[in-house]
PDB file of all heavy atoms in Angstrom:
ATOM      1  N   ALA A  70      97.203  99.149  93.727  1.00 96.00           N
ATOM      2  CA  ALA A  70      97.381  98.834  95.186  1.00 96.00           C
ATOM      3  C   ALA A  70      96.723  97.510  95.454  1.00 96.00           C
ATOM      4  O   ALA A  70      97.303  96.689  96.190  1.00 96.00           O
ATOM      5  CB  ALA A  70      96.802  99.915  96.082  1.00 96.00           C
ATOM      6  N   ALA A  71      95.501  97.302  94.985  1.00 96.00           N
ATOM      7  CA  ALA A  71      94.773  96.052  95.220  1.00 96.00           C
ATOM      8  C   ALA A  71      95.595  94.915  94.594  1.00 96.00           C
ATOM      9  O   ALA A  71      95.653  93.791  95.196  1.00 96.00           O
ATOM     10  CB  ALA A  71      93.346  96.136  94.743  1.00 96.00           C
ATOM     11  N   GLY A  72      96.116  95.106  93.376  1.00 95.00           N
ATOM     12  CA  GLY A  72      96.844  94.055  92.731  1.00 95.00           C
ATOM     13  C   GLY A  72      98.043  93.543  93.507  1.00 95.00           C
ATOM     14  O   GLY A  72      98.329  92.457  93.714  1.00 95.00           O
ATOM     15  N   ILE A  73      98.755  94.542  93.959  1.00 95.00           N
ATOM     16  CA  ILE A  73      99.932  94.301  94.786  1.00 95.00           C
ATOM     17  C   ILE A  73      99.538  93.535  96.100  1.00 95.00           C
ATOM     18  O   ILE A  73     100.218  92.513  96.470  1.00 95.00           O
ATOM     19  CB  ILE A  73     100.767  95.601  95.160  1.00 95.00           C
ATOM     20  CG1 ILE A  73     101.346  96.166  93.889  1.00 95.00           C
ATOM     21  CG2 ILE A  73     101.843  95.359  96.128  1.00 95.00           C
ATOM     22  CD1 ILE A  73     101.933  97.658  94.000  1.00 95.00           C
ATOM     23  N   SER A  74      98.549  94.007  96.732  1.00 92.00           N
ATOM     24  CA  SER A  74      98.087  93.331  97.912  1.00 92.00           C
ATOM     25  C   SER A  74      97.696  91.838  97.677  1.00 92.00           C
ATOM     26  O   SER A  74      97.942  90.989  98.440  1.00 92.00           O
ATOM     27  CB  SER A  74      96.964  94.100  98.577  1.00 92.00           C
ATOM     28  OG  SER A  74      97.337  95.329  99.107  1.00 92.00           O
ATOM     29  N   ASN A  75      96.907  91.661  96.517  1.00 92.00           N
ATOM     30  CA  ASN A  75      96.503  90.351  96.203  1.00 92.00           C
ATOM     31  C   ASN A  75      97.661  89.401  95.925  1.00 92.00           C
ATOM     32  O   ASN A  75      97.629  88.195  96.247  1.00 92.00           O
ATOM     33  CB  ASN A  75      95.538  90.426  95.010  1.00 92.00           C
ATOM     34  CG  ASN A  75      94.187  91.036  95.348  1.00 92.00           C
ATOM     35  OD1 ASN A  75      93.789  91.036  96.551  1.00 92.00           O
ATOM     36  ND2 ASN A  75      93.469  91.442  94.434  1.00 92.00           N
ATOM     37  N   GLN A  76      98.705  89.957  95.260  1.00 91.00           N
ATOM     38  CA  GLN A  76      99.879  89.119  94.930  1.00 91.00           C
ATOM     39  C   GLN A  76     100.572  88.809  96.225  1.00 91.00           C
ATOM     40  O   GLN A  76     101.056  87.581  96.327  1.00 91.00           O
ATOM     41  CB  GLN A  76     100.845  89.912  93.952  1.00 91.00           C
ATOM     42  CG  GLN A  76     100.356  90.019  92.572  1.00 91.00           C
ATOM     43  CD  GLN A  76     101.307  90.888  91.713  1.00 91.00           C
ATOM     44  OE1 GLN A  76     102.089  91.564  92.272  1.00 91.00           O
ATOM     45  NE2 GLN A  76     101.109  90.793  90.446  1.00 91.00           N
ATOM     46  N   ALA A  77     100.633  89.637  97.130  1.00 84.00           N
ATOM     47  CA  ALA A  77     101.384  89.354  98.391  1.00 84.00           C
ATOM     48  C   ALA A  77     100.599  88.385  99.211  1.00 84.00           C
ATOM     49  O   ALA A  77     101.157  87.408  99.758  1.00 84.00           O
ATOM     50  CB  ALA A  77     101.510  90.648  99.222  1.00 84.00           C
ATOM     51  N   ARG A  78      99.186  88.462  99.165  1.00 87.00           N
ATOM     52  CA  ARG A  78      98.390  87.406  99.922  1.00 87.00           C
ATOM     53  C   ARG A  78      98.615  86.049  99.220  1.00 87.00           C
ATOM     54  O   ARG A  78      98.748  85.142  99.818  1.00 87.00           O
ATOM     55  CB  ARG A  78      96.969  87.870  99.887  1.00 87.00           C
ATOM     56  CG  ARG A  78      96.026  86.920 100.693  1.00 87.00           C
ATOM     57  CD  ARG A  78      94.646  87.340 100.829  1.00 87.00           C
ATOM     58  NE  ARG A  78      94.018  87.689  99.520  1.00 87.00           N
ATOM     59  CZ  ARG A  78      93.659  88.876  99.193  1.00 87.00           C
ATOM     60  NH1 ARG A  78      93.857  89.892  99.989  1.00 87.00           N
ATOM     61  NH2 ARG A  78      93.154  89.114  98.049  1.00 87.00           N
ATOM     62  N   ALA A  79      98.581  86.030  97.915  1.00 86.00           N
ATOM     63  CA  ALA A  79      98.733  84.775  97.307  1.00 86.00           C
ATOM     64  C   ALA A  79     100.064  84.101  97.517  1.00 86.00           C
ATOM     65  O   ALA A  79     100.167  82.929  97.718  1.00 86.00           O
ATOM     66  CB  ALA A  79      98.525  84.964  95.714  1.00 86.00           C
ATOM     67  N   LYS A  80     101.094  84.956  97.624  1.00 84.00           N
ATOM     68  CA  LYS A  80     102.434  84.464  97.940  1.00 84.00           C
ATOM     69  C   LYS A  80     102.403  83.906  99.331  1.00 84.00           C
ATOM     70  O   LYS A  80     102.950  82.833  99.510  1.00 84.00           O
ATOM     71  CB  LYS A  80     103.520  85.593  97.799  1.00 84.00           C
ATOM     72  CG  LYS A  80     104.840  85.167  98.060  1.00 84.00           C
ATOM     73  CD  LYS A  80     105.835  86.219  97.955  1.00 84.00           C
ATOM     74  CE  LYS A  80     107.267  85.845  98.246  1.00 84.00           C
ATOM     75  NZ  LYS A  80     108.254  86.920  98.196  1.00 84.00           N
ATOM     76  N   ARG A  81     101.817  84.576 100.333  1.00 84.00           N
ATOM     77  CA  ARG A  81     101.781  84.056 101.630  1.00 84.00           C
ATOM     78  C   ARG A  81     101.025  82.730 101.698  1.00 84.00           C
ATOM     79  O   ARG A  81     101.499  81.842 102.430  1.00 84.00           O
ATOM     80  CB  ARG A  81     101.143  85.092 102.624  1.00 84.00           C
ATOM     81  CG  ARG A  81     102.071  86.265 102.903  1.00 84.00           C
ATOM     82  CD  ARG A  81     101.506  87.122 104.053  1.00 84.00           C
ATOM     83  NE  ARG A  81     100.178  87.673 103.753  1.00 84.00           N
ATOM     84  CZ  ARG A  81      99.852  88.736 103.145  1.00 84.00           C
ATOM     85  NH1 ARG A  81     100.868  89.486 102.658  1.00 84.00           N
ATOM     86  NH2 ARG A  81      98.630  89.168 102.910  1.00 84.00           N
ATOM     87  N   GLU A  82      99.964  82.675 100.959  1.00 83.00           N
ATOM     88  CA  GLU A  82      99.106  81.436 100.922  1.00 83.00           C
ATOM     89  C   GLU A  82      99.977  80.276 100.376  1.00 83.00           C
ATOM     90  O   GLU A  82      99.999  79.135 100.929  1.00 83.00           O
ATOM     91  CB  GLU A  82      97.881  81.621 100.220  1.00 83.00           C
ATOM     92  CG  GLU A  82      96.814  82.445 100.941  1.00 83.00           C
ATOM     93  CD  GLU A  82      95.637  82.811 100.107  1.00 83.00           C
ATOM     94  OE1 GLU A  82      95.632  82.499  98.872  1.00 83.00           O
ATOM     95  OE2 GLU A  82      94.738  83.455 100.623  1.00 83.00           O
ATOM     96  N   GLN A  83     100.749  80.529  99.296  1.00 85.00           N
ATOM     97  CA  GLN A  83     101.549  79.509  98.693  1.00 85.00           C
ATOM     98  C   GLN A  83     102.644  79.053  99.607  1.00 85.00           C
ATOM     99  O   GLN A  83     102.941  77.921  99.800  1.00 85.00           O
ATOM    100  CB  GLN A  83     102.196  80.067  97.431  1.00 85.00           C
ATOM    101  CG  GLN A  83     102.990  79.031  96.691  1.00 85.00           C
ATOM    102  CD  GLN A  83     102.073  77.898  96.160  1.00 85.00           C
ATOM    103  OE1 GLN A  83     101.007  78.087  95.663  1.00 85.00           O
ATOM    104  NE2 GLN A  83     102.619  76.692  96.280  1.00 85.00           N
ATOM    105  N   GLU A  84     103.256  79.980 100.336  1.00 81.00           N
ATOM    106  CA  GLU A  84     104.336  79.694 101.312  1.00 81.00           C
ATOM    107  C   GLU A  84     103.678  78.820 102.438  1.00 81.00           C
ATOM    108  O   GLU A  84     104.439  77.883 102.887  1.00 81.00           O
ATOM    109  CB  GLU A  84     104.883  81.017 101.890  1.00 81.00           C
ATOM    110  CG  GLU A  84     105.726  81.653 100.948  1.00 81.00           C
ATOM    111  CD  GLU A  84     106.230  83.061 101.381  1.00 81.00           C
ATOM    112  OE1 GLU A  84     105.681  83.573 102.430  1.00 81.00           O
ATOM    113  OE2 GLU A  84     107.043  83.689 100.758  1.00 81.00           O
ATOM    114  N   LEU A  85     102.549  79.112 102.813  1.00 80.00           N
ATOM    115  CA  LEU A  85     101.872  78.340 103.950  1.00 80.00           C
ATOM    116  C   LEU A  85     101.598  76.891 103.434  1.00 80.00           C
ATOM    117  O   LEU A  85     101.782  76.020 104.115  1.00 80.00           O
ATOM    118  CB  LEU A  85     100.551  79.026 104.368  1.00 80.00           C
ATOM    119  CG  LEU A  85      99.837  78.254 105.530  1.00 80.00           C
ATOM    120  CD1 LEU A  85     100.749  78.258 106.776  1.00 80.00           C
ATOM    121  CD2 LEU A  85      98.610  79.042 105.853  1.00 80.00           C
TER     122      LEU A  85
END
Side-chain angles (χ1 to χ4, degrees):
I73 292 169
S74 292
N75 290 339
Q76 286 176 346
R78 183 176 51 250
K80 181 179 178 185
R81 285 190 304 273
E82 289 173 355
Q83 185 64 40
E84 288 170 351
L85 183 59

